[in-house]
Amino acid sequence: MKVVTATNETQGSRMNDYSFTVPGELVYVQDPCDCDRIEPLNGCGCSRGFAGVASARATTTAKVVDLPELSIESYTVALRAGLVAQGWPGEWAPGMAELMLDMAAHSPIGTIIERSFDDYRARATIPSETTKRPPGS
C-alpha cells in the first residue's frame, strides 16, 4: 500500500525547510494555526509541515513509499493512536487516512511532497532502491 512518510531527502532545498521527525515514520497533515494563517511568511511554519504519527514532531518533506504489509485498517489504527496520543480526536483518523492515502495514490513511489496550506506538490522523485539500475546497465 502506498503511504506518505517523513523524509530528510531534499531537506535544505528551501531556506525554510525543517525536519524534526523520524525518517520513515507515517505522517499526516494538521490544520495550520492562527499564527500561520495570519502571517504565513512569519508564522511558525506549521502550514508547510507534515506531522509525525509516532514522534509528534514535524517536517516540510514527506515521501511516498510502498508498505505492502500495511492494510488500510492497520494504517487507520496507527493514525488514530498517533492522533489520540497527541491530544486530537481519534474519530479524525478515517478522514485523515483517506486524505493521506489519496495523496499517496496520486504520486509515484519515491515522490518527495511539500506543502503550503492545502496545496500539496511534488518537490522531486527519488527512485527507490528496488527501482534503481546498477551502474553501467
Side-chain angles (χ1 to χ4, degrees), residues 5-58:
T5 62
T7 186
N8 289 331
E9 293 176 82
T10 74
Q11 276 290 314
S13 297
R14 307 253 188 273
M15 286 179 36
N16 56 6
D17 274 342
Y18 59 84
S19 182
F20 304 106
T21 53
V22 177
E25 76 173 296
L26 296 172
V27 295
Y28 66 97
V29 293
Q30 293 177 305
D31 283 336
C33 68
D34 287 342
C35 179
D36 254 29
R37 286 187 194 282
I38 295 166
E39 297 236 17
L41 298 177
N42 296 315
C44 69
C46 66
S47 63
R48 295 180 287 107
F50 296 88
V53 170
S55 68
R57 306 290 297 200

Side-chain angles (χ1 to χ4, degrees), residues 8-120:
N8 289 331
E9 293 176 82
T10 74
Q11 276 290 314
S13 297
R14 307 253 188 273
M15 286 179 36
N16 56 6
D17 274 342
Y18 59 84
S19 182
F20 304 106
T21 53
V22 177
E25 76 173 296
L26 296 172
V27 295
Y28 66 97
V29 293
Q30 293 177 305
D31 283 336
C33 68
D34 287 342
C35 179
D36 254 29
R37 286 187 194 282
I38 295 166
E39 297 236 17
L41 298 177
N42 296 315
C44 69
C46 66
S47 63
R48 295 180 287 107
F50 296 88
V53 170
S55 68
R57 306 290 297 200
T59 182
T60 52
T61 52
K63 185 176 184 177
V64 177
V65 300
D66 184 30
L67 297 179
E69 68 281 1
L70 197 61
S71 68
I72 291 174
E73 294 78 20
S74 60
Y75 179 69
T76 304
V77 166
L79 284 175
R80 180 177 289 113
L83 288 166
V84 169
Q86 295 171 35
W88 301 109
E91 52 271 10
W92 289 358
M96 187 59 63
E98 185 177 335
L99 171 71
M100 298 309 296
L101 292 173
D102 185 59
M103 189 182 304
H106 288 91
S107 300
I109 293 170
T111 300
I112 307 298
I113 299 172
E114 62 184 10
R115 167 184 183 212
S116 177
F117 291 92
D118 292 333
D119 179 31
Y120 307 95

